[in-house]
Each structure stands twice: as structure tokens, then as C-alpha cells.
Amino acid sequence: DPSSLKVIAKAPVGKDPHEVIASTDGKFAYVSNYGGGRYNTLAVIDLVAHKALPSIDLGPLRGPHGLAFVGGKVWFAAEAAKAVARYDPQEKKVDWIMGTGQNRTHMVMVSEDQAHIYTSNIGSATMTFLEKGAGPRDWNETVIPVGKGSEGFDIAPDGRELWTANAGDGTVSVIDIAA
């Protein structure tokens, strides 16, 4: 309860909960069970009933990390699989996967129109920009070198720049998105 700061419910979420994202309607929360790339589940919490639901087994998509909830779906980085993927709660399945080819694909951000996806890749010291192409399965990928250990990132309010924090060398990289 944000007004009293009292805990009103607790729910089990797995061995190594790392990130959490709520559905747009606020009814469910999804938690990545990371394990340094060993684990492959998303915990699901019913926020209305205050209880855990069955976990989502992601199969070979190990190391789920950064989460986003866009278009009614859960987007996540699969760090050990070098990929970004999307889980459809209605269909109860992973319905889209895109490899990055980069080491430790870590965080993910998805535009509201789902036409642009951004990921940080810690081990490769890069950012990956995925842009929807003309066909339904056509994606353009741009890999941009940044500082060592690129992890957290955000897009400037005007949408022109992406800033990423590089934990490995203590720098911040600024990328002109249009360029």
C-alpha cells in the first residue's frame, strides 16, 4: 500500500528474481528468473488475487533479463541465448524470437508501435537497434559499439538520443538514433 507503506501481499517468484514488469491493465506482474543465464522462467503474479500463478518455461531462452510490456505481450532479453523474445499471455507461448549475435543481451526497450527494439549487450560492449522492415518477418539490425559493460539505457524525452551506462569502463555513451 503506497500510502501506508505496508506490505499487503507476498508471492513466491523463483530462484533468482531479477526484473519485474506489470501488465498495462495492472492485473498481472511478470518476474524474470535470471540465474546468471542458468534459469529460463518468468514468474507470473496475479496482482488482483495476490497469488502466484504457474511459471512460464522459456525452454532454451536462458537468462531472461530486461522486461517490457508492450502491445499486450511480455518482451524480454534472453542473455545466454543472445536473443530478444516476446511472450503472448493470451496464447500462452513465446511467439517471436530475434537473435542479436551479441554476448549477454541484457536489457530491452520496445517502442509502443513495436517497430523499434533496443538492447544492450554487456559482453560485446554494444547496443543493438532492431527496426521493423517492409515484410512481416523483415527486421533490420544495427549493432553500435559503445563502452565496456553496456547495461542500463534510456531514450531522451525528445526521442533523438539513446544514452547507455557502461559499467565496465565508467562511461556513458550517447547515440544519435536517427543517424
Side-chain angles (χ1 to χ4, degrees):
D1 180 345
S3 62
S4 68
L5 300 180
K6 290 184 180 180
V7 175
I8 57 173
K10 293 182 181 184
V13 292
K15 292 181 180 180
D16 186 21
H18 225 65
E19 275 81 39
V20 62
I21 192 79
S23 59
T24 307
D25 62 11
K27 293 181 180 179
F28 299 96
Y30 299 88
V31 181
S32 59
N33 288 302
Y34 173 63
R38 294 184 310 276
Y39 304 138
N40 64 333
T41 61
L42 295 177
V44 184
I45 307 300
D46 181 327
L47 296 174
V48 177
H50 301 146
K51 68 177 186 177
L53 299 175
S55 291
I56 300 162
D57 183 338
L58 300 172
L61 297 171
R62 297 200 169 279
H65 206 275
L67 300 173
F69 195 89
V70 178
K73 299 182 182 187
V74 182
W75 297 76
F76 59 96
E79 192 172 280
K82 299 181 181 184
V84 177
R86 180 179 69 196
Y87 176 79
D88 183 337
Q90 296 299 318
E91 297 293 322
K92 298 189 181 327
K93 68 178 185 178
V94 173
D95 68 352
W96 183 87
I97 303 168
M98 177 67 68
T100 64
Q102 301 297 298
N103 294 325
R104 295 189 63 201
T105 299
H106 192 65
M107 300 300 285
V108 64
M109 183 181 288
V110 180
S111 64
E112 285 301 317
D113 65 1
Q114 301 173 61
H116 298 88
I117 302 168
Y118 307 94
T119 68
S120 57
N121 308 295
I122 295 175
S124 296
T126 60
M127 290 294 303
T128 298
F129 287 19
L130 296 168
E131 184 176 21
K132 187 88 172 87
R137 297 181 189 176
D138 187 21
W139 286 86
N140 300 310
E141 179 181 38
T142 304
V143 177
I144 302 164
V146 292
K148 293 179 183 175
S150 54
E151 285 193 53
F153 65 92
D154 203 357
I155 294 176
D158 66 7
R160 293 181 176 182
E161 296 175 335
L162 182 142
W163 291 49
T164 184
N166 307 309
D169 62 14
T171 64
V172 172
S173 296
V174 180
I175 300 167
D176 179 333
I177 292 175

